[in-house]
């Protein structure tokens, strides 16, 4: 263990790949050399070095200036950042026992390290002094002034102004919460793997494509069950196979497995962790001077308060619930009998097929993954931003499935894009983007390195990877995050890439979904993988016409999760202590907002709501629909102004994704659009008008 009072000695990391900056192009972490045992020593040395650097800033006897305080803080922690981005940028995709053990050990240590800096009253005083010095601020450019403002706000919200006794308790709470959320993630992954649905008779898989059956067979083989089939679970409540499986009993088994995660009373039951997390968050909020965790979490957001969130979401919930009931009647008419939750997606697909002659499951032959990537996603990025993508098999990914692409803008390299497409037992559910290298002019880092993770079942060797309609949507969505990380150009690392308000970060990714069905893009990639025939235009037209179908269900399941998140975090300290039954609380919360329809369960139920209890979306799951107001308005702007053109891409980049976090996002949006976003576009899209 490195002495925390001393800076890291280079000899302490002899032979450790984190001991020096990466020698690889674009500062890509040298994953071919990194082993799990390298992380602990690098974290220890990185924290020690960072503490020494920050101590020098805090103890500086010179009057506080932007250079000796803010710039010094921005330059500090190089080793820790190098280690942390590599670890946390890959840990959810490589959740091996070794990596999970490191995360469990270091989550509380890193929380304590963060608090040691964020709660330092000397630093806080220096930042405030710079902030209050009008002459200093006047001499700074806009990005530098915004940096001062953000530092002061973030230190204040974090509790830097508390007295010593309160800070000591806050440190204890933050360390405990870091441990609990890490345990939640670990237990959820273990329970999901344990609940994967085994099938012995291939006839039960009727309705799945040959590729899906092949993927299930491959998953079974990997688990030592040659000749059987294994369906891996996904993070949301509704598994994509429910739309296709004709065997009702298998649909029930799959749905029940999805719903059972974290709530079986075994060693991986997460409900006890939820109660602990909620109580500690409520205590922390009171300590910080807020009535609830929701108020604390939203104090530094574009929404500003939970009251504003509920004001927008509650009316939507009532309208969405009514739409879902109308859809339910149509589904039961199609089925000829009352339906259950596992039946919804199956009969919804049949109603869509009957009404619009569109079967999204039957579209998979047109969505071969490589064409979606190169002729869809990359194609749109080239038209909008002048980007091209060149595979670099010479550069190491963190797993054999990972592909590395060099990204060039008008021929000039700007970074790397890593793609990790397939599901595996060591990868958490869902889809996400991470940053491995942050662009920053101050740190002389001109490039960004970003990753996209999806959870597509991997077919047997030689079989094509055919995506579902939803998987294609998710692919475009996550690539929107990747673009945000690649294209942002900032001076200070504090603002790099997607480091923006949590209720703004989903906006650029949602906008990128629009190109999936944009005629010029769709025609370029939606080609039958066997015949080479393009998707028939009449099918495209019917698909576009059918997009409003199912919005009652989709909006209801999403809002149920978003409002459930708000309900848990609207509890004050005494109310949180009084909750002892997670399931009963969830049921009451859904009843209170009119979304307790057993046929339309929340997109994420409490025991497997990883966004909220593991992945830093606590009290912020509303962000998706909050951001969608901007998204829908932006889609209207692109449509009105000629769509997929370089001029439009350049304007959108200039005012939105090119800024990173280096400015007020809503003010920048008004510059881009010429006005505030009009919520009417979202309400129309969701069928809520």
């Amino acid at each position: 263990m490195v002495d925390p009072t001393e800076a890291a000695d280079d000899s302490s990391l002899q032979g450790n790949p984190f001991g020096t900056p990466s020698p690889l192009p674009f500062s890509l972490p040298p994953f071919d050399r990194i082993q799990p045992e390298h992380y602990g020593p690098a974290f220890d040395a990185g924290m020690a070095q960072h503490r020494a650097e920050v101590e020098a800033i805090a103890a500086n006897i010179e009057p506080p200036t932007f250079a000796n305080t803010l710039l010094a803080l921005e330059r500090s922690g190089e080793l820790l950042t190098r280690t942390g981005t590599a670890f946390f940028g890959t840990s959810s995709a490589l959740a091996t026992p070794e990596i999970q053990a490191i995360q469990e050990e270091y989550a509380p240590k890193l929380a304590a390290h963060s608090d040691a800096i964020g709660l330092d009253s000397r630093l806080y005083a220096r930042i405030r002094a710079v902030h209050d010095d009008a002459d200093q601020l006047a001499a700074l450019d806009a990005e530098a002034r915004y940096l001062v403002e953000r530092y002061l706000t973030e230190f204040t919200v974090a509790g830097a102004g508390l007295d010593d006794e309160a800070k000591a308790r806050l440190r204890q709470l933050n360390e405990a919460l870091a441990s609990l959320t890490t345990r939640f993630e670990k237990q959820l992954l273990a329970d999901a793997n344990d609940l994967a649905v085994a099938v012995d008779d291939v006839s039960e898989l009727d309705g799945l494509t040959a590729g899906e059956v092949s993927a299930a067979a491959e998953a079974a083989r990997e688990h030592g069950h040659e000749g059987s089939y294994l369906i891996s679970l996904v993070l949301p409540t509704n598994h994509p196979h429910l739309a296709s499986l004709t065997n009702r009993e298998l649909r029930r088994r799959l749905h029940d497995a999805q719903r059972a995660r974290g709530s079986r009373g075994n060693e991986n039951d997460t409900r006890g962790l939820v109660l602990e997390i909620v109580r500690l968050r409520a205590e922390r909020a009171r300590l910080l001077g807020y009535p609830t965790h929701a108020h604390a979490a939203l104090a530094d957001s574009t929404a500003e308060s939970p009251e504003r969130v509920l004001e927008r979401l509650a009316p939507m919930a009532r309208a969405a619930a009514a739409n879902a009931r109308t859809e339910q009647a149509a589904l039961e008419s199609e089925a000829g009998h009352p339906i259950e939750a596992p039946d919804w997606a199956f009969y919804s697909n049949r109603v869509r097929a009957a009404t619009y002659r569109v079967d999204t499951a039957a579209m998979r032959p047109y969505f071969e993954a490589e064409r979606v990537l190169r002729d869809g996603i990359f194609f749109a990025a080239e038209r909008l931003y002048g980007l091209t993508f060149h595979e670099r098999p010479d550069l190491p990914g963190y797993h054999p499935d990972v592909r590395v692409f060099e990204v060039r803008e008008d021929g000039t390299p700007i970074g790397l894009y890593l793609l990790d497409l397939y599901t595996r037992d060591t990868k958490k559910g869902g889809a996400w983007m991470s940053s491995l290298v942050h662009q920053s002019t101050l740190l002389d880092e001109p490039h960004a390195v970003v990753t996209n993770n999806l959870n597509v079942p991997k077919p047997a060797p030689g079989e094509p990877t055919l995506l579902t309609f939803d998987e294609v949507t998710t692919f475009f969505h996550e690539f929107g995050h990747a673009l945000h990380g690649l294209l942002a150009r900032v001076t200070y690392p504090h603002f790099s890439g997607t480091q923006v308000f949590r209720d703004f970060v989903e906006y650029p990714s949602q906008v990128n979904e629009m190109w999936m069905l944009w005629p010029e893009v769709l025609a370029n990639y939606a080609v039958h993988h066997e015949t080479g025939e393009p998707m028939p235009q009449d099918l495209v037209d019917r698909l576009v016409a059918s997009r409003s179908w199912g919005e009652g269900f989709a909006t209801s399941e999403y809002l149920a999760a978003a409002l459930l998140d708000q309900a848990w975090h609207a509890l004050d300290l005494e109310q949180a202590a009084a909750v002892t039954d997670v399931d009963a609380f969830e049921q009451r919360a859904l009843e209170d907002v009119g979304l307790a329809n057993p046929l339309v369960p929340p997109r994420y139920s409490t025991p497997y709501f990883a966004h909220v209890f593991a992945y830093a979306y606590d009290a912020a799951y509303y962000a998706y629909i909050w951001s969608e107001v901007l998204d829908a308005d932006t889609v209207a702007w692109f449509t009105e102004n000629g769509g997929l053109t370089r001029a439009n891409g350049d304007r959108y980049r200039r005012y939105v994704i090119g800024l990173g976090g280096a400015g007020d996002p809503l003010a920048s949006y008004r510059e881009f659009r010429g006005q505030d976003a009009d919520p009417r576009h979202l309400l129309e899209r969701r069928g809520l008008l």
Side-chain angles (χ1 to χ4, degrees), residues 262-528:
S263 59
R264 294 190 290 160
N266 61 7
E267 67 275 12
N268 291 318
D269 196 305
T270 62
R271 290 173 294 185
L273 295 175
V274 166
L275 294 178
E276 288 187 74
I277 290 168
V278 169
R279 291 165 186 165
L280 294 185
R281 284 174 176 169
E283 182 183 350
R284 183 174 63 183
R286 179 168 294 182
L287 194 65
L288 291 169
Y290 298 98
T292 72
H293 179 67
H295 286 88
L298 272 64
D300 193 26
S301 69
T302 66
E304 298 178 347
S305 73
E307 288 80 12
R308 287 192 66 199
V309 172
L310 294 177
E311 181 182 343
R312 177 169 289 176
L313 267 57
M316 290 185 186
R318 291 190 292 272
N323 289 354
R325 288 192 292 271
T326 300
E327 291 170 8
Q328 180 180 335
L331 303 189
E332 292 183 338
S333 176
E334 172 67 24
H337 57 74
I339 64 169
E340 300 171 354
D343 301 320
W344 191 291
F346 180 77
Y347 286 107
S348 181
N349 217 26
R350 291 182 64 164
V351 170
R352 181 186 286 107
T355 305
Y356 300 99
R357 293 183 295 125
V358 169
D359 180 356
T360 55
M363 291 181 174
R364 292 191 64 173
Y366 295 99
F367 296 148
E368 192 274 321
E370 190 67 11
R371 289 210 63 144
V372 171
L373 175 66
R374 292 189 178 275
D375 299 334
I377 290 170
F378 288 173
F379 172 77
E382 181 175 11
R383 291 300 178 92
L384 283 168
Y385 310 113
L387 303 183
T388 54
F389 299 80
H390 309 268
E391 194 147 13
R392 293 288 304 269
D394 57 308
L395 296 179
Y398 54 83
H399 184 274
D401 284 345
V402 175
R403 301 168 66 186
V404 181
F405 296 86
E406 180 178 317
V407 187
R408 301 172 191 165
E409 179 187 353
D410 297 327
T412 300
I414 65 167
L416 297 177
Y417 170 69
L418 279 64
L419 175 62
D420 189 352
L421 185 66
Y422 296 113
T423 190
R424 53 183 173 268
D425 284 353
T426 58
K427 185 191 283 192
K428 78 176 187 181
W432 63 94
M433 169 266 188
S434 301
S435 291
L436 298 174
V437 176
H438 296 285
Q439 178 274 332
S440 165
T441 302
L442 178 71
L443 301 184
D444 195 26
E445 182 51 77
H447 306 118
V449 178
V450 303
T451 71
N452 270 166
N453 268 269
L454 279 78
N455 266 282
V456 176
K458 188 175 185 178
E463 295 284 342
T465 300
L466 303 181
L467 305 180
T468 67
F469 182 84
D470 286 344
E471 286 167 343
V472 177
T473 304
T474 298
F475 208 166
F476 273 83
H477 176 99
E478 295 304 331
F479 190 74
H481 285 307
L483 287 171
H484 200 175
L486 286 165
L487 293 179
R489 286 293 173 268
V490 299
T491 302
Y492 308 108
H494 200 81
F495 296 141
S496 180
T498 57
Q499 296 184 121
V500 298
F501 291 116
R502 283 190 299 176
D503 56 4
F504 185 81
V505 73
E506 295 300 332
Y507 156 54
S509 58
Q510 290 169 331
V511 167
N512 204 60
E513 293 178 29
M514 73 180 289
W515 307 117
M516 173 187 173
L517 292 181
W518 196 262
E520 184 181 353
V521 180
L522 186 69
N524 203 55
Y525 77 85
V527 175
H528 197 286

Side-chain angles (χ1 to χ4, degrees), residues 100 185-195 264 268 425:
Q100 290 181 327
E185 180 180 7
K186 178 182 178 181
Q187 290 177 204
L188 176 57
L189 178 60
D191 213 34
N193 287 337
D194 188 51
L195 281 163
R264 294 190 290 160
N268 291 318
D425 284 353

Side-chain angles (χ1 to χ4, degrees), residues 161-183:
L162 297 176
D163 62 32
D164 290 344
E165 182 180 355
K167 284 180 180 177
R169 179 55 182 159
L170 182 60
R171 290 186 179 95
Q172 293 174 344
L173 293 171
N174 287 340
E175 288 183 45
L177 284 165
S179 294
L180 290 168
T181 54
T182 299
R183 284 174 55 196

Side-chain angles (χ1 to χ4, degrees), residues 254-265:
L254 183 54
H255 186 268
D256 289 349
Q258 292 276 117
R259 292 286 277 158
R261 289 169 294 163
S263 59
R264 294 190 290 160

